[in-house]
Amino acid sequence: SLFFFLMIRRPPRSTQSRSSAASDVYKRQDIIEPKFDVQFEKLNVLDRNHFRQIGINFKPTCIIHLAAILSAKGEQDIDFAIKLNNESFKIALDLSVELNSQIFVPSTIGVFGPTSPKVMTPNETVLIPHTIYGVTKVYMELLGNYYNNKFGVDFRSIRYPGTISPGLPGGGTTDYAVDIFHSAIKTKFYSCFLRSDTRMPMMYIDDLIEGTVQFLETDNSKLKSRVYNMSGFSFTPEEIAAEIQKYIQDFKIDYKPDFRQAIADSWPHSIDDTKAKQDWDWNPKVNFELMTQIMLQKTGEMYKIPEEGAAKIDLNSVSYTHLRAHETPEHLVCRLLLEKKKTTTELTVVTSIKLGNYSREL
């Protein structure tokens, strides 16, 4: 069996009391109590003793360590980004040695910098990032590789591009590509913090989940690297705005670049993920156009009570591709089913996740 040992961020530093700060975290949906039948533990990931005790209690075969401060937020609190990103990873890595468990930690296109190739950035290239987030992730990649060579730890990581999902933005530079859909649905206007021609690699969340599970389940002997590039498609704010306007004709956008523009300028325009496709058969299924259709529909469903001036979406003329992922009885299943209804704007997206006897509808 494959057990997922999930980490989430601790409450942020605050001048408020601990309970008040934690309450703010809940309001921001940073820490969410699960609504399905699974054991759930709250953890300050910088507390080595508590971290270790939970590991000993659960004895996970795989540690998936997600705790991190992202690019834009990291530049606002450099010291805390270093502390949280680096120290919590070291604690998780030491625990993986003790438990002889696999460990997966997400990396990022933020490990690349201005001296890295911009177009089709290869898996092996110069890593001199210009953000503290990128610096901490380079440290993570190097230390994970070291532990693999020194102690035989099954360390794995994927350099994720911007990830697009119907949820709320989480503080990253690529998050404009999520926020723009919320603004399009609610007000039909978006003010973008990047230039109109800023091209960055992205992917849709369902592809990310399916690809990650596929990577984790790949036999260790087939992997020629511990860290892999992964991507779906690339676009600019201007291009995504134009795609949205196919369905919301009066949607408007303006551009007011801020400090995040410099971050985006240091990152690749596109990613070469050939090694992932060769070594573990990575194959994204959702393209740019389909992602836009899904996001408009799913984001629209989040706002059940239409606000005055809220957008009406017409997807009636769109044709969809039927997508179905590989499925086995033992392994986690990620199924993406897209079907066009004969009535207006009915797009059904079903994602099933199964793990042993555990299943979840997302």
Side-chain angles (χ1 to χ4, degrees), residues 252-291:
K252 305 294 183 185
I253 186 170
D254 70 7
Y255 304 95
K256 296 179 180 178
D258 63 14
F259 73 97
R260 288 166 284 194
Q261 184 64 56
I263 297 175
D265 287 342
S266 71
W267 289 352
H269 298 162
S270 58
I271 294 292
D272 183 355
D273 53 6
T274 302
K275 287 195 68 174
K277 292 173 179 176
Q278 291 175 341
D279 291 1
W280 43 278
D281 299 324
W282 158 239
N283 181 31
K285 296 179 175 62
V286 179
N287 62 22
F288 173 59
E289 293 79 12
L290 186 54
M291 175 276 297

Side-chain angles (χ1 to χ4, degrees), residues 42-180:
K42 292 180 185 176
L43 169 69
N44 177 344
V45 292
L46 296 175
D47 186 338
R48 179 179 286 272
N49 291 333
H50 190 193
F51 204 140
R52 181 175 181 272
Q53 189 58 53
I54 290 176
I56 291 173
N57 290 345
F58 284 92
K59 296 180 175 58
T61 58
C62 178
I63 298 175
I64 299 181
H65 185 61
L66 305 178
I69 299 296
L70 304 184
S71 57
K73 295 294 185 183
E75 295 306 296
Q76 296 171 3
D77 196 340
I78 294 173
D79 290 342
F80 185 55
I82 294 172
K83 184 177 183 64
L84 178 62
N85 294 9
N86 288 356
E87 291 185 19
S88 68
F89 169 60
K90 179 62 163 58
I91 293 170
L93 199 53
D94 288 338
L95 183 61
S96 72
V97 174
E98 181 176 355
L99 299 177
N100 192 29
S101 64
Q102 183 186 63
I103 180 169
F104 172 81
V105 188
S107 190
T108 168
I109 60 170
V111 298
F112 304 117
T115 55
S116 305
K118 290 289 187 185
V119 178
M120 295 300 287
T121 307
N123 214 81
E124 279 75 39
T125 189
V126 177
L127 302 179
I128 308 178
H130 277 200
T131 65
I132 197 61
Y133 174 56
V135 170
T136 62
K137 287 300 184 179
V138 171
Y139 167 84
M140 179 272 294
E141 290 186 11
L142 294 176
L143 190 62
N145 268 290
Y146 175 79
Y147 267 59
N148 173 257
N149 292 326
K150 182 75 172 179
F151 304 111
V153 173
D154 184 5
F155 163 77
R156 305 185 186 197
S157 184
I158 294 174
R159 293 177 184 140
Y160 290 136
T163 304
I164 301 174
S165 71
L168 297 175
T173 301
T174 58
D175 277 355
Y176 88 87
V178 174
D179 200 20
I180 193 172

Side-chain angles (χ1 to χ4, degrees), residues 4-5 42 76 107 109 131 164 199 208 214 217 219 236 246 255 265 290 304 310 318 341:
F4 289 87
F5 188 64
K42 292 180 185 176
Q76 296 171 3
S107 190
I109 60 170
T131 65
I164 301 174
R199 185 174 300 279
L208 181 146
Q214 185 179 356
E217 293 181 341
D219 189 275
T236 67
K246 292 180 180 179
Y255 304 95
D265 287 342
L290 186 54
K304 295 180 180 179
V318 178
K341 302 290 187 180

Side-chain angles (χ1 to χ4, degrees), residues 203-219:
M203 69 186 307
Y204 187 63
I205 184 65
D206 288 43
D207 274 341
L208 181 146
I209 293 171
E210 183 183 334
T212 301
V213 172
Q214 185 179 356
F215 177 51
L216 292 177
E217 293 181 341
T218 298
D219 189 275

Side-chain angles (χ1 to χ4, degrees), residues 10-71:
R10 53 153 286 193
R13 292 186 296 179
S14 173
T15 56
Q16 302 170 308
S17 68
R18 168 174 267 177
S19 61
S20 178
S23 176
D24 285 348
V25 170
Y26 277 104
K27 291 175 183 176
R28 297 201 324 269
Q29 297 185 345
D30 236 1
I31 299 176
I32 303 174
E33 293 281 1
K35 297 180 180 179
F36 47 93
D37 185 20
V38 64
Q39 182 120 17
F40 178 79
E41 297 276 349
K42 292 180 185 176
L43 169 69
N44 177 344
V45 292
L46 296 175
D47 186 338
R48 179 179 286 272
N49 291 333
H50 190 193
F51 204 140
R52 181 175 181 272
Q53 189 58 53
I54 290 176
I56 291 173
N57 290 345
F58 284 92
K59 296 180 175 58
T61 58
C62 178
I63 298 175
I64 299 181
H65 185 61
L66 305 178
I69 299 296
L70 304 184
S71 57

